[in-house]
Amino acid sequence: MTAHDAPVELAERYARWLRLLPPTDRARSADEMLATYLRTVPPGRRRPTVADRLDVARYAARRWWHALGAPADVRPEASATVAWLLAAALSYAAVRALVLGVASVREGWSLSALAPLSPSWALWPVVVVALLCGSRRVAGATAAAAAALGAGALVGVVGDGERLVAVYEVGWVVAQAVVAVAALRAGARPRRRVRVVTVLVLVVGSVLGLVTAVDLTGVLPSGQLGLRLAGGPGVSALVGPAALALVVVLGGRVERHALPPLAAVLAVLVVGRDGGLLPGSTRWVPMAGLPLDAATLLPLVGLPVLVLVAVRLVVAAADRAAQPRRAVRPAVPGA
């Protein structure tokens, strides 16, 4: 059967499946793919085969992932930007957990309830120093080890019945894993302005982490400041410096493509502390009896994924909007 001999109904059904492709791929290759499918179907068929549908779905998923990801020419530097900024911002959690861990040992408090990830955060100075020295593989491997230790600690926390603590802390483990992947994928050091802002974030995050921990351990009289910084709005201690950093460095194409993973990490941290958008998530469940059910886990997993995709779409649209401006920019004489 040729493409011209195929029933109109069959062609329309194949075309409907090909609409799953991203707009650029649809415009470039959908007609050719449609013709290929129609040439291979046997006479009399009225619907696309299951194999063809799965083939289109898999191909569309791959193309959407590539379309929403950082282009190859900026991916190494964008990954470096993510690794540097996020590793510096996580200094807040590292300093806070280490101070609380020391206080727990000295005072006999429950480490699993107060600072369960403190053993994994003990590796974080190595990650930061390795990045600042340009040792990306050392930084990535150490961050991966920290994430593995953190994941193991959370399993133990759940086993001890501290489910709410596990939900609160899981975002930090995700952030550690993102730093590990970004550092291993980085192909170069980020731009100088990103390095400068990284140091600023490192200092601000460390100071906020120290203030939070000191207040929570009772050195300061009220403890209210520490509770605010440790709770939902207070992932502001990470969100604030990171947002400031992004405002400073935003505008470049590389920095734009560093935004999606950073936004997704911030989303999982905020959701873990503030609760999700569904009734029954962490905000509305009694602290002593948090069930790890869909109402708790779906916002914790689903919302960061939605944020990642949404920000990637915005960044991809910004890239497309910037292309005509680059195309019409006048040539520099002698260039």
mmCIF file of all heavy atoms in Angstrom, residues 74-121:
data_model
loop_
_atom_site.group_PDB
_atom_site.id
_atom_site.type_symbol
_atom_site.label_atom_id
_atom_site.label_comp_id
_atom_site.label_asym_id
_atom_site.label_seq_id
_atom_site.Cartn_x
_atom_site.Cartn_y
_atom_site.Cartn_z
ATOM 1 N N VAL A 74 25.351 24.411 25.172
ATOM 2 C CA VAL A 74 25.378 25.083 26.478
ATOM 3 C C VAL A 74 25.267 24.103 27.648
ATOM 4 O O VAL A 74 25.395 24.514 28.799
ATOM 5 C CB VAL A 74 24.249 26.138 26.594
ATOM 6 C CG1 VAL A 74 24.385 27.201 25.538
ATOM 7 C CG2 VAL A 74 22.882 25.481 26.541
ATOM 8 N N ARG A 75 25.037 22.826 27.352
ATOM 9 C CA ARG A 75 24.784 21.858 28.430
ATOM 10 C C ARG A 75 25.949 21.745 29.412
ATOM 11 O O ARG A 75 25.720 21.738 30.636
ATOM 12 C CB ARG A 75 24.453 20.491 27.832
ATOM 13 C CG ARG A 75 23.967 19.464 28.862
ATOM 14 C CD ARG A 75 23.596 18.160 28.192
ATOM 15 N NE ARG A 75 22.578 18.390 27.173
ATOM 16 C CZ ARG A 75 22.605 17.841 25.955
ATOM 17 N NH1 ARG A 75 23.613 17.056 25.614
ATOM 18 N NH2 ARG A 75 21.643 18.089 25.089
ATOM 19 N N PRO A 76 27.212 21.639 28.970
ATOM 20 C CA PRO A 76 28.302 21.506 29.957
ATOM 21 C C PRO A 76 28.396 22.694 30.909
ATOM 22 O O PRO A 76 28.552 22.514 32.120
ATOM 23 C CB PRO A 76 29.555 21.392 29.073
ATOM 24 C CG PRO A 76 29.060 20.902 27.756
ATOM 25 C CD PRO A 76 27.714 21.529 27.590
ATOM 26 N N GLU A 77 28.267 23.912 30.363
ATOM 27 C CA GLU A 77 28.378 25.087 31.219
ATOM 28 C C GLU A 77 27.127 25.270 32.080
ATOM 29 O O GLU A 77 27.209 25.706 33.228
ATOM 30 C CB GLU A 77 28.628 26.338 30.377
ATOM 31 C CG GLU A 77 29.186 27.483 31.181
ATOM 32 C CD GLU A 77 29.625 28.656 30.317
ATOM 33 O OE1 GLU A 77 29.643 28.514 29.081
ATOM 34 O OE2 GLU A 77 29.931 29.715 30.897
ATOM 35 N N ALA A 78 25.948 24.925 31.537
ATOM 36 C CA ALA A 78 24.729 25.005 32.337
ATOM 37 C C ALA A 78 24.780 24.016 33.500
ATOM 38 O O ALA A 78 24.362 24.335 34.623
ATOM 39 C CB ALA A 78 23.504 24.739 31.466
ATOM 40 N N SER A 79 25.301 22.811 33.247
ATOM 41 C CA SER A 79 25.446 21.833 34.326
ATOM 42 C C SER A 79 26.406 22.339 35.396
ATOM 43 O O SER A 79 26.169 22.164 36.597
ATOM 44 C CB SER A 79 25.949 20.494 33.761
ATOM 45 O OG SER A 79 25.015 19.934 32.872
ATOM 46 N N ALA A 80 27.497 22.974 34.961
ATOM 47 C CA ALA A 80 28.442 23.537 35.929
ATOM 48 C C ALA A 80 27.780 24.623 36.768
ATOM 49 O O ALA A 80 28.000 24.710 37.987
ATOM 50 C CB ALA A 80 29.661 24.093 35.192
ATOM 51 N N THR A 81 26.955 25.443 36.134
ATOM 52 C CA THR A 81 26.251 26.502 36.861
ATOM 53 C C THR A 81 25.322 25.916 37.920
ATOM 54 O O THR A 81 25.268 26.388 39.058
ATOM 55 C CB THR A 81 25.461 27.380 35.883
ATOM 56 O OG1 THR A 81 26.358 27.960 34.937
ATOM 57 C CG2 THR A 81 24.707 28.485 36.610
ATOM 58 N N VAL A 82 24.586 24.863 37.539
ATOM 59 C CA VAL A 82 23.692 24.196 38.498
ATOM 60 C C VAL A 82 24.502 23.634 39.659
ATOM 61 O O VAL A 82 24.151 23.816 40.838
ATOM 62 C CB VAL A 82 22.902 23.071 37.801
ATOM 63 C CG1 VAL A 82 22.140 22.236 38.828
ATOM 64 C CG2 VAL A 82 21.919 23.652 36.794
ATOM 65 N N ALA A 83 25.594 22.937 39.345
ATOM 66 C CA ALA A 83 26.392 22.307 40.398
ATOM 67 C C ALA A 83 26.948 23.345 41.372
ATOM 68 O O ALA A 83 26.853 23.176 42.591
ATOM 69 C CB ALA A 83 27.532 21.495 39.770
ATOM 70 N N TRP A 84 27.503 24.427 40.854
ATOM 71 C CA TRP A 84 28.117 25.440 41.721
ATOM 72 C C TRP A 84 27.071 26.142 42.575
ATOM 73 O O TRP A 84 27.226 26.243 43.794
ATOM 74 C CB TRP A 84 28.870 26.468 40.859
ATOM 75 C CG TRP A 84 30.218 26.028 40.420
ATOM 76 C CD1 TRP A 84 30.517 24.926 39.673
ATOM 77 C CD2 TRP A 84 31.470 26.669 40.697
ATOM 78 N NE1 TRP A 84 31.864 24.853 39.457
ATOM 79 C CE2 TRP A 84 32.473 25.898 40.069
ATOM 80 C CE3 TRP A 84 31.826 27.816 41.383
ATOM 81 C CZ2 TRP A 84 33.822 26.253 40.131
ATOM 82 C CZ3 TRP A 84 33.171 28.170 41.457
ATOM 83 C CH2 TRP A 84 34.159 27.387 40.838
ATOM 84 N N LEU A 85 26.012 26.668 41.948
ATOM 85 C CA LEU A 85 25.022 27.445 42.709
ATOM 86 C C LEU A 85 24.285 26.582 43.729
ATOM 87 O O LEU A 85 24.075 26.995 44.876
ATOM 88 C CB LEU A 85 24.018 28.086 41.749
ATOM 89 C CG LEU A 85 24.477 29.332 41.006
ATOM 90 C CD1 LEU A 85 23.411 29.795 40.034
ATOM 91 C CD2 LEU A 85 24.820 30.451 41.979
ATOM 92 N N LEU A 86 23.905 25.373 43.323
ATOM 93 C CA LEU A 86 23.138 24.529 44.232
ATOM 94 C C LEU A 86 24.025 24.011 45.363
ATOM 95 O O LEU A 86 23.586 23.959 46.520
ATOM 96 C CB LEU A 86 22.508 23.368 43.472
ATOM 97 C CG LEU A 86 21.514 22.503 44.248
ATOM 98 C CD1 LEU A 86 20.423 23.361 44.874
ATOM 99 C CD2 LEU A 86 20.894 21.456 43.325
ATOM 100 N N ALA A 87 25.266 23.644 45.057
ATOM 101 C CA ALA A 87 26.165 23.194 46.122
ATOM 102 C C ALA A 87 26.393 24.303 47.139
ATOM 103 O O ALA A 87 26.430 24.055 48.354
ATOM 104 C CB ALA A 87 27.500 22.747 45.524
ATOM 105 N N ALA A 88 26.527 25.530 46.664
ATOM 106 C CA ALA A 88 26.710 26.657 47.586
ATOM 107 C C ALA A 88 25.453 26.912 48.404
ATOM 108 O O ALA A 88 25.518 27.152 49.617
ATOM 109 C CB ALA A 88 27.092 27.908 46.802
ATOM 110 N N ALA A 89 24.282 26.864 47.758
ATOM 111 C CA ALA A 89 23.033 27.098 48.482
ATOM 112 C C ALA A 89 22.790 26.026 49.542
ATOM 113 O O ALA A 89 22.242 26.308 50.615
ATOM 114 C CB ALA A 89 21.864 27.148 47.499
ATOM 115 N N LEU A 90 23.219 24.794 49.275
ATOM 116 C CA LEU A 90 23.027 23.713 50.235
ATOM 117 C C LEU A 90 23.934 23.846 51.451
ATOM 118 O O LEU A 90 23.821 23.060 52.399
ATOM 119 C CB LEU A 90 23.259 22.357 49.557
ATOM 120 C CG LEU A 90 22.215 21.955 48.512
ATOM 121 C CD1 LEU A 90 22.560 20.615 47.898
ATOM 122 C CD2 LEU A 90 20.815 21.914 49.110
ATOM 123 N N SER A 91 24.822 24.824 51.428
ATOM 124 C CA SER A 91 25.629 25.072 52.632
ATOM 125 C C SER A 91 24.732 25.409 53.818
ATOM 126 O O SER A 91 25.096 25.151 54.975
ATOM 127 C CB SER A 91 26.623 26.204 52.372
ATOM 128 O OG SER A 91 25.932 27.418 52.066
ATOM 129 N N TYR A 92 23.561 25.986 53.545
ATOM 130 C CA TYR A 92 22.598 26.255 54.616
ATOM 131 C C TYR A 92 22.234 24.969 55.346
ATOM 132 O O TYR A 92 22.337 24.870 56.580
ATOM 133 C CB TYR A 92 21.339 26.895 54.040
ATOM 134 C CG TYR A 92 20.139 26.764 54.943
ATOM 135 C CD1 TYR A 92 20.029 27.540 56.091
ATOM 136 C CD2 TYR A 92 19.134 25.838 54.666
ATOM 137 C CE1 TYR A 92 18.947 27.401 56.945
ATOM 138 C CE2 TYR A 92 18.048 25.695 55.510
ATOM 139 C CZ TYR A 92 17.955 26.478 56.644
ATOM 140 O OH TYR A 92 16.888 26.336 57.485
ATOM 141 N N ALA A 93 21.822 23.950 54.597
ATOM 142 C CA ALA A 93 21.407 22.686 55.210
ATOM 143 C C ALA A 93 22.591 21.973 55.840
ATOM 144 O O ALA A 93 22.463 21.350 56.903
ATOM 145 C CB ALA A 93 20.748 21.795 54.161
ATOM 146 N N ALA A 94 23.767 22.044 55.203
ATOM 147 C CA ALA A 94 24.940 21.349 55.727
ATOM 148 C C ALA A 94 25.360 21.922 57.074
ATOM 149 O O ALA A 94 25.557 21.177 58.048
ATOM 150 C CB ALA A 94 26.081 21.437 54.715
ATOM 151 N N VAL A 95 25.488 23.250 57.142
ATOM 152 C CA VAL A 95 25.915 23.882 58.401
ATOM 153 C C VAL A 95 24.881 23.635 59.489
ATOM 154 O O VAL A 95 25.221 23.289 60.636
ATOM 155 C CB VAL A 95 26.144 25.394 58.187
ATOM 156 C CG1 VAL A 95 26.356 26.102 59.519
ATOM 157 C CG2 VAL A 95 27.338 25.615 57.273
ATOM 158 N N ARG A 96 23.610 23.794 59.150
ATOM 159 C CA ARG A 96 22.561 23.584 60.142
ATOM 160 C C ARG A 96 22.592 22.160 60.686
ATOM 161 O O ARG A 96 22.556 21.932 61.904
ATOM 162 C CB ARG A 96 21.192 23.860 59.516
ATOM 163 C CG ARG A 96 20.045 23.870 60.517
ATOM 164 C CD ARG A 96 18.710 23.862 59.818
ATOM 165 N NE ARG A 96 18.462 22.548 59.212
ATOM 166 C CZ ARG A 96 17.326 22.206 58.613
ATOM 167 N NH1 ARG A 96 16.361 23.091 58.495
ATOM 168 N NH2 ARG A 96 17.159 21.011 58.108
ATOM 169 N N ALA A 97 22.689 21.172 59.781
ATOM 170 C CA ALA A 97 22.654 19.772 60.207
ATOM 171 C C ALA A 97 23.886 19.406 61.022
ATOM 172 O O ALA A 97 23.794 18.653 62.003
ATOM 173 C CB ALA A 97 22.539 18.863 58.987
ATOM 174 N N LEU A 98 25.053 19.930 60.641
ATOM 175 C CA LEU A 98 26.272 19.580 61.370
ATOM 176 C C LEU A 98 26.253 20.156 62.780
ATOM 177 O O LEU A 98 26.638 19.489 63.747
ATOM 178 C CB LEU A 98 27.492 20.075 60.594
ATOM 179 C CG LEU A 98 27.760 19.321 59.280
ATOM 180 C CD1 LEU A 98 28.921 19.956 58.528
ATOM 181 C CD2 LEU A 98 28.036 17.848 59.547
ATOM 182 N N VAL A 99 25.800 21.410 62.923
ATOM 183 C CA VAL A 99 25.724 22.008 64.264
ATOM 184 C C VAL A 99 24.699 21.266 65.122
ATOM 185 O O VAL A 99 24.950 20.958 66.298
ATOM 186 C CB VAL A 99 25.382 23.511 64.168
ATOM 187 C CG1 VAL A 99 25.143 24.103 65.555
ATOM 188 C CG2 VAL A 99 26.491 24.262 63.456
ATOM 189 N N LEU A 100 23.545 20.955 64.531
ATOM 190 C CA LEU A 100 22.524 20.218 65.282
ATOM 191 C C LEU A 100 23.001 18.814 65.621
ATOM 192 O O LEU A 100 22.672 18.266 66.687
ATOM 193 C CB LEU A 100 21.228 20.156 64.471
ATOM 194 C CG LEU A 100 20.463 21.467 64.311
ATOM 195 C CD1 LEU A 100 19.238 21.264 63.424
ATOM 196 C CD2 LEU A 100 20.045 22.036 65.661
ATOM 197 N N GLY A 101 23.779 18.196 64.710
ATOM 198 C CA GLY A 101 24.302 16.865 64.989
ATOM 199 C C GLY A 101 25.258 16.860 66.163
ATOM 200 O O GLY A 101 25.202 15.980 67.043
ATOM 201 N N VAL A 102 26.146 17.849 66.200
ATOM 202 C CA VAL A 102 27.073 17.961 67.337
ATOM 203 C C VAL A 102 26.298 18.202 68.633
ATOM 204 O O VAL A 102 26.592 17.596 69.682
ATOM 205 C CB VAL A 102 28.087 19.096 67.080
ATOM 206 C CG1 VAL A 102 28.907 19.368 68.336
ATOM 207 C CG2 VAL A 102 28.994 18.742 65.911
ATOM 208 N N ALA A 103 25.293 19.094 68.572
ATOM 209 C CA ALA A 103 24.483 19.363 69.763
ATOM 210 C C ALA A 103 23.735 18.110 70.221
ATOM 211 O O ALA A 103 23.587 17.867 71.434
ATOM 212 C CB ALA A 103 23.497 20.496 69.472
ATOM 213 N N SER A 104 23.259 17.313 69.272
ATOM 214 C CA SER A 104 22.532 16.089 69.627
ATOM 215 C C SER A 104 23.439 15.108 70.368
ATOM 216 O O SER A 104 23.040 14.491 71.364
ATOM 217 C CB SER A 104 21.981 15.423 68.358
ATOM 218 O OG SER A 104 21.063 16.272 67.707
ATOM 219 N N VAL A 105 24.674 14.955 69.876
ATOM 220 C CA VAL A 105 25.616 14.044 70.526
ATOM 221 C C VAL A 105 25.938 14.535 71.939
ATOM 222 O O VAL A 105 25.997 13.746 72.897
ATOM 223 C CB VAL A 105 26.895 13.920 69.676
ATOM 224 C CG1 VAL A 105 27.957 13.125 70.439
ATOM 225 C CG2 VAL A 105 26.586 13.252 68.344
ATOM 226 N N ARG A 106 26.135 15.850 72.072
ATOM 227 C CA ARG A 106 26.514 16.396 73.376
ATOM 228 C C ARG A 106 25.366 16.358 74.384
ATOM 229 O O ARG A 106 25.579 16.124 75.587
ATOM 230 C CB ARG A 106 26.999 17.836 73.211
ATOM 231 C CG ARG A 106 28.308 17.958 72.449
ATOM 232 C CD ARG A 106 28.730 19.394 72.305
ATOM 233 N NE ARG A 106 28.930 20.018 73.615
ATOM 234 C CZ ARG A 106 29.301 21.290 73.784
ATOM 235 N NH1 ARG A 106 29.508 22.056 72.725
ATOM 236 N NH2 ARG A 106 29.464 21.784 74.995
ATOM 237 N N GLU A 107 24.141 16.585 73.892
ATOM 238 C CA GLU A 107 22.990 16.692 74.800
ATOM 239 C C GLU A 107 22.194 15.402 74.917
ATOM 240 O O GLU A 107 21.254 15.321 75.709
ATOM 241 C CB GLU A 107 22.053 17.814 74.325
ATOM 242 C CG GLU A 107 22.709 19.180 74.230
ATOM 243 C CD GLU A 107 23.136 19.719 75.582
ATOM 244 O OE1 GLU A 107 22.528 19.307 76.601
ATOM 245 O OE2 GLU A 107 24.078 20.539 75.640
ATOM 246 N N GLY A 108 22.534 14.416 74.103
ATOM 247 C CA GLY A 108 21.803 13.159 74.147
ATOM 248 C C GLY A 108 20.449 13.210 73.467
ATOM 249 O O GLY A 108 19.563 12.408 73.773
ATOM 250 N N TRP A 109 20.265 14.142 72.509
ATOM 251 C CA TRP A 109 19.003 14.227 71.792
ATOM 252 C C TRP A 109 18.941 13.165 70.697
ATOM 253 O O TRP A 109 19.950 12.548 70.346
ATOM 254 C CB TRP A 109 18.843 15.621 71.167
ATOM 255 C CG TRP A 109 18.814 16.728 72.186
ATOM 256 C CD1 TRP A 109 18.420 16.648 73.474
ATOM 257 C CD2 TRP A 109 19.228 18.083 71.966
ATOM 258 N NE1 TRP A 109 18.519 17.870 74.102
ATOM 259 C CE2 TRP A 109 19.021 18.769 73.197
ATOM 260 C CE3 TRP A 109 19.720 18.792 70.876
ATOM 261 C CZ2 TRP A 109 19.309 20.117 73.346
ATOM 262 C CZ3 TRP A 109 20.004 20.132 71.029
ATOM 263 C CH2 TRP A 109 19.814 20.795 72.251
ATOM 264 N N SER A 110 17.754 13.002 70.152
ATOM 265 C CA SER A 110 17.562 12.031 69.070
ATOM 266 C C SER A 110 18.104 12.599 67.762
ATOM 267 O O SER A 110 17.566 13.563 67.220
ATOM 268 C CB SER A 110 16.073 11.699 68.914
ATOM 269 O OG SER A 110 15.857 10.943 67.740
ATOM 270 N N LEU A 111 19.157 11.989 67.252
ATOM 271 C CA LEU A 111 19.744 12.463 65.997
ATOM 272 C C LEU A 111 18.805 12.219 64.831
ATOM 273 O O LEU A 111 18.696 13.037 63.913
ATOM 274 C CB LEU A 111 21.075 11.760 65.752
ATOM 275 C CG LEU A 111 21.893 12.248 64.556
ATOM 276 C CD1 LEU A 111 22.339 13.686 64.780
ATOM 277 C CD2 LEU A 111 23.097 11.343 64.330
ATOM 278 N N SER A 112 18.082 11.093 64.844
ATOM 279 C CA SER A 112 17.196 10.771 63.722
ATOM 280 C C SER A 112 16.040 11.754 63.612
ATOM 281 O O SER A 112 15.510 11.981 62.525
ATOM 282 C CB SER A 112 16.647 9.347 63.876
ATOM 283 O OG SER A 112 15.842 9.241 65.038
ATOM 284 N N ALA A 113 15.633 12.360 64.716
ATOM 285 C CA ALA A 113 14.529 13.312 64.679
ATOM 286 C C ALA A 113 15.002 14.729 64.410
ATOM 287 O O ALA A 113 14.302 15.525 63.798
ATOM 288 C CB ALA A 113 13.746 13.272 65.995
ATOM 289 N N LEU A 114 16.219 15.058 64.856
ATOM 290 C CA LEU A 114 16.675 16.441 64.776
ATOM 291 C C LEU A 114 17.548 16.699 63.542
ATOM 292 O O LEU A 114 17.354 17.689 62.838
ATOM 293 C CB LEU A 114 17.455 16.803 66.043
ATOM 294 C CG LEU A 114 17.795 18.278 66.238
ATOM 295 C CD1 LEU A 114 16.510 19.106 66.328
ATOM 296 C CD2 LEU A 114 18.643 18.465 67.490
ATOM 297 N N ALA A 115 18.497 15.815 63.287
ATOM 298 C CA ALA A 115 19.425 16.025 62.165
ATOM 299 C C ALA A 115 19.806 14.679 61.572
ATOM 300 O O ALA A 115 20.970 14.259 61.646
ATOM 301 C CB ALA A 115 20.656 16.787 62.629
ATOM 302 N N PRO A 116 18.868 13.984 60.946
ATOM 303 C CA PRO A 116 19.156 12.623 60.451
ATOM 304 C C PRO A 116 20.192 12.582 59.333
ATOM 305 O O PRO A 116 20.834 11.555 59.132
ATOM 306 C CB PRO A 116 17.789 12.134 59.961
ATOM 307 C CG PRO A 116 17.031 13.376 59.647
ATOM 308 C CD PRO A 116 17.485 14.387 60.648
ATOM 309 N N LEU A 117 20.347 13.678 58.593
ATOM 310 C CA LEU A 117 21.264 13.673 57.457
ATOM 311 C C LEU A 117 22.649 14.215 57.798
ATOM 312 O O LEU A 117 23.473 14.405 56.897
ATOM 313 C CB LEU A 117 20.679 14.506 56.306
ATOM 314 C CG LEU A 117 19.336 14.042 55.747
ATOM 315 C CD1 LEU A 117 18.935 14.907 54.567
ATOM 316 C CD2 LEU A 117 19.387 12.583 55.337
ATOM 317 N N SER A 118 22.917 14.461 59.095
ATOM 318 C CA SER A 118 24.205 15.059 59.441
ATOM 319 C C SER A 118 25.403 14.233 58.979
ATOM 320 O O SER A 118 26.413 14.818 58.555
ATOM 321 C CB SER A 118 24.276 15.324 60.950
ATOM 322 O OG SER A 118 23.940 14.173 61.692
ATOM 323 N N PRO A 119 25.374 12.880 58.986
ATOM 324 C CA PRO A 119 26.536 12.149 58.445
ATOM 325 C C PRO A 119 26.774 12.428 56.964
ATOM 326 O O PRO A 119 27.928 12.553 56.532
ATOM 327 C CB PRO A 119 26.164 10.677 58.691
ATOM 328 C CG PRO A 119 25.216 10.714 59.837
ATOM 329 C CD PRO A 119 24.419 11.965 59.647
ATOM 330 N N SER A 120 25.691 12.551 56.188
ATOM 331 C CA SER A 120 25.885 12.838 54.764
ATOM 332 C C SER A 120 26.354 14.270 54.535
ATOM 333 O O SER A 120 27.165 14.539 53.646
ATOM 334 C CB SER A 120 24.591 12.579 53.987
ATOM 335 O OG SER A 120 23.597 13.546 54.294
ATOM 336 N N TRP A 121 25.877 15.196 55.379
ATOM 337 C CA TRP A 121 26.316 16.594 55.219
ATOM 338 C C TRP A 121 27.771 16.777 55.628
ATOM 339 O O TRP A 121 28.403 17.779 55.249
ATOM 340 C CB TRP A 121 25.423 17.522 56.036
ATOM 341 C CG TRP A 121 24.065 17.731 55.449
ATOM 342 C CD1 TRP A 121 22.873 17.495 56.063
ATOM 343 C CD2 TRP A 121 23.750 18.230 54.149
ATOM 344 N NE1 TRP A 121 21.832 17.807 55.217
ATOM 345 C CE2 TRP A 121 22.340 18.252 54.038
ATOM 346 C CE3 TRP A 121 24.514 18.634 53.061
ATOM 347 C CZ2 TRP A 121 21.686 18.685 52.891
ATOM 348 C CZ3 TRP A 121 23.863 19.060 51.907
ATOM 349 C CH2 TRP A 121 22.474 19.087 51.831
#
